[in-house]
Amino acid sequence: NPTNSALRCYIGIVLHAQQRSTEALAEFDTAITLDPKNPLAKYKKAIVLSTMHQYQVGNSSFYSHN
């Protein structure tokens, strides 16, 4: 289901495990758009950004109050 925030988040987790970080970020962004209060999507997005050495962006993403 393309409108399921949790499912999009789990797809992002799998993509990140496959070292497909850019695609994973897109899935996390979609998950957050679908459910701005999804803490797992925000957390995982911050993790991916930190692995890409984008620490400030990751920190801002995690602590945003959308």
Side-chain angles (χ1 to χ4, degrees):
N1 184 350
T3 61
N4 184 316
S5 177
L7 179 60
R8 300 303 290 258
C9 185
Y10 290 123
I11 291 170
I13 291 169
V14 170
L15 289 168
H16 183 242
Q18 295 174 338
Q19 298 181 2
R20 295 164 60 186
S21 298
T22 303
E23 294 169 85
L25 286 175
E27 290 298 330
F28 294 133
D29 284 337
T30 300
I32 293 166
T33 298
L34 292 169
D35 180 6
K37 296 184 186 248
N38 182 336
L40 184 59
K42 288 184 176 188
Y43 172 73
K44 291 296 187 176
K45 179 180 177 180
I47 295 296
V48 172
L49 287 167
S50 71
T51 63
M52 297 170 75
H53 304 284
Q54 295 184 19
Y55 305 110
Q56 190 64 31
V57 177
N59 192 36
S60 298
S61 171
F62 184 71
Y63 288 108
S64 69
H65 297 287
N66 294 333

